Amino acid sequence: MTTDNDGVDTLTEQPFVTHLLELRDRLLRAVIAVGVIFASLFYFSNDIYEIVAGPLMAHLPQGSSMIATEVASPFLTPFKLTLMSSIFIGMPFILYQLWSFIAPGLYKHEKRLMIPLVASSAVLFYLGVVFAYFVVFPLVFAFMASTTPEGVVMATDIAKYLDFVLSLFFAFGLAFEVPIATIILVSMGMTTPESLVQKRPYIIVGAFIFGMLLTPPDVISQTLLALPMWVLFEIGVFFSRMVKRDKQRREQEEEGPDDEGPDGGATEKTDKPAAQTAAPAFVTDPAFETDDEPLDLERFKPLTEAELEAELDSIEAEDEEGGDDLGESDDEGMYDDVIEEKLRRVQELRDQNEEVKARGLLYEILGEAGPEQAKVARNILDQLDEDY
């Protein structure tokens, strides 16, 4: 999808290879950005590790320190931390490249929703990492140091410690994305704020289970992860209500032009029922629905020649006595038109080789038509018998 100079979206289908080339360019830009950040931070890799290890070092017993149990750990561990820090710092640029790739395929209202979601998701992830570093780490490490058994020296391996803190950073950063997930689910119509409120007890239990799975096996870190998730869930429900109202308002605005014409009058949607009301009554006659409804063959059993003659004599006698009120009413012309329409329908059925349905309709005509039209119906029946 491209946009012309007037700001109007014009749909142009791009080849699949073009999308792959653009994706490659975006990924290369992101990788180059991360590489540049990494090259500028690598000289300070040991200092960065000391900053990350600060919460644990502050609670180690006096005279104790961290250790490296593998030969390459003193080099590889700070290297790994510097690389992860480069990705962490370059995340806004990475998200921008991702947004630039998918934005041309979105509608304007989707862009209005996605831009704040992408920006806020990065901010919330950073907040989760900051919360873990400044709030969770001091409490967890203080608890660990206080529960160390007598005679055991707490000397943590630097590689194990890095894996520990990275897992917590990821867990808290992901947990802080709960409002974004809630808003997306509501905007996609997969759930509603009212349904989420009703399921609040289950969501709270799920938050504690999520905290148990993503955090180390201690109650403090599990609780410190579950409680923010609960609070962020309530924040997400609050903003999802706003998103739902905005979506309903937008749908009403889109339906608005259909309710008013260019001159402020009613549109075709309003006029169509009136036009249908003014149609002749015979349009809805059941005789014209013979193609949609199965024909009851038991109802239209062919009459013998004697029975047919007796039926026709009875009809002619009623007409002569004036018993047929329809023929003498003011609607006689309209009723004749109905019979004529049925006769035309019979001819169409004959052309389609639907002889059974044609016979059934002819029997109905014989019971309703006047002498002239009944004579035509009899002639058609005779023709059908000859063809048979």
Side-chain angles (χ1 to χ4, degrees):
M1 181 187 295
T2 59
T3 306
D4 58 16
N5 296 329
D6 298 332
V8 180
D9 291 337
T10 58
L11 295 175
T12 57
E13 184 177 357
Q14 299 293 335
F16 181 70
V17 177
T18 304
H19 293 298
L20 290 180
L21 293 175
E22 183 180 0
L23 179 61
R24 182 200 63 180
D25 295 339
R26 299 294 179 184
L27 292 177
L28 285 176
R29 294 176 186 177
V31 171
I32 292 173
V34 172
V36 171
I37 297 173
F38 175 79
S40 61
L41 294 179
F42 182 72
Y43 179 79
F44 308 98
S45 58
N46 290 334
D47 298 329
I48 296 173
Y49 190 88
E50 290 178 4
I51 295 174
V52 174
L56 176 62
M57 297 293 292
H59 294 89
L60 286 177
Q62 188 175 2
S64 181
S65 63
M66 300 180 69
I67 61 174
T69 59
E70 297 180 3
V71 177
S73 291
F75 171 76
L76 292 179
T77 301
F79 180 90
K80 178 181 178 181
L81 177 59
T82 305
L83 179 60
M84 298 301 296
S85 301
S86 302
I87 298 175
F88 179 76
I89 295 173
M91 187 57 65
F93 184 78
I94 296 173
L95 291 176
Y96 169 76
Q97 295 299 323
L98 178 63
W99 170 256
S100 300
F101 177 71
I102 65 175
L106 300 177
Y107 294 103
K108 291 183 179 179
H109 67 274
E110 293 174 336
K111 293 179 181 179
R112 289 197 301 267
L113 177 64
M114 290 299 296
I115 290 177
L117 287 181
V118 172
S120 58
S121 63
V123 173
L124 288 173
F125 190 88
Y126 288 149
L127 288 177
V129 173
V130 171
F131 180 82
Y133 183 82
F134 288 101
V135 178
V136 179
F137 285 0
L139 295 176
V140 171
F141 296 142
F143 174 77
M144 296 295 183
S146 64
T147 57
T148 303
E150 189 71 23
V152 176
V153 178
M154 185 176 180
T156 306
D157 179 67
I158 59 174
K160 299 290 185 181
Y161 175 78
L162 180 60
D163 294 338
F164 177 82
V165 297
L166 288 180
S167 63
L168 281 182
F169 282 153
F170 177 76
F172 278 86
L174 186 62
F176 272 58
E177 302 292 332
V178 170
I180 305 299
T182 303
I183 293 173
I184 291 176
L185 290 175
V186 173
S187 63
M188 293 176 62
M190 300 178 65
T191 186
T192 60
E194 293 76 15
S195 177
L196 292 175
V197 171
Q198 293 177 355
K199 298 175 182 177
R200 181 184 288 117
Y202 304 100
I203 294 175
I204 295 174
V205 174
F208 277 91
I209 295 176
F210 186 79
M212 177 187 66
L213 296 175
L214 293 184
T215 58
D218 64 279
V219 179
I220 295 178
S221 58
Q222 176 186 356
T223 305
L224 290 176
L225 179 61
L227 291 179
M229 287 182 65
W230 180 14
V231 175
L232 291 169
F233 164 74
E234 300 295 341
I235 295 175
V237 171
F238 173 78
F239 283 102
S240 64
R241 289 193 175 98
M242 299 174 59
V243 171
K244 183 180 179 181
R245 286 196 295 267
D246 181 70
K247 182 179 179 181
Q248 293 175 346
R249 178 183 56 80
R250 187 174 62 252
E251 292 176 352
Q252 292 176 357
E253 290 177 354
E254 292 175 355
E255 295 175 358
D258 295 337
D259 297 333
E260 293 185 359
D263 55 352
T267 60
E268 292 185 1
K269 286 187 177 181
T270 307
D271 297 339
K272 284 181 180 180
Q276 294 174 357
T277 304
F282 62 84
V283 174
T284 58
D285 194 274
F288 304 119
E289 300 177 1
T290 54
D291 286 341
D292 299 331
E293 297 181 359
L295 187 64
D296 188 1
L297 298 179
E298 296 295 332
R299 178 183 175 189
F300 302 113
K301 292 181 179 180
L303 300 177
T304 62
E305 185 176 353
E307 292 175 342
L308 182 58
E309 290 294 334
E311 183 71 20
L312 293 177
D313 293 340
S314 175
I315 294 172
E316 292 176 358
E318 292 178 357
D319 292 339
E320 293 175 358
E321 295 175 358
D324 191 356
D325 296 334
L326 290 175
E328 299 176 359
S329 64
D330 296 335
D331 297 334
E332 181 178 1
M334 180 179 294
Y335 197 79
D336 290 341
D337 292 338
V338 175
I339 302 301
E340 293 293 335
E341 189 66 29
K342 288 185 178 183
L343 290 172
R344 285 193 293 270
R345 179 60 179 160
V346 168
Q347 187 60 39
E348 293 176 1
L349 292 174
R350 291 183 64 188
D351 296 338
Q352 299 172 4
N353 294 325
E354 298 286 347
E355 296 183 358
V356 176
K357 294 182 179 180
R359 287 177 179 274
L361 193 55
L362 286 170
Y363 292 139
E364 289 186 4
I365 294 173
L366 289 176
E368 301 172 356
E372 296 295 331
Q373 294 168 331
K375 183 178 180 180
V376 174
R378 285 196 301 270
N379 292 334
I380 297 175
L381 280 173
D382 294 341
Q383 294 176 7
L384 291 176
D385 292 337
E386 293 176 358
D387 294 339
Y388 182 76

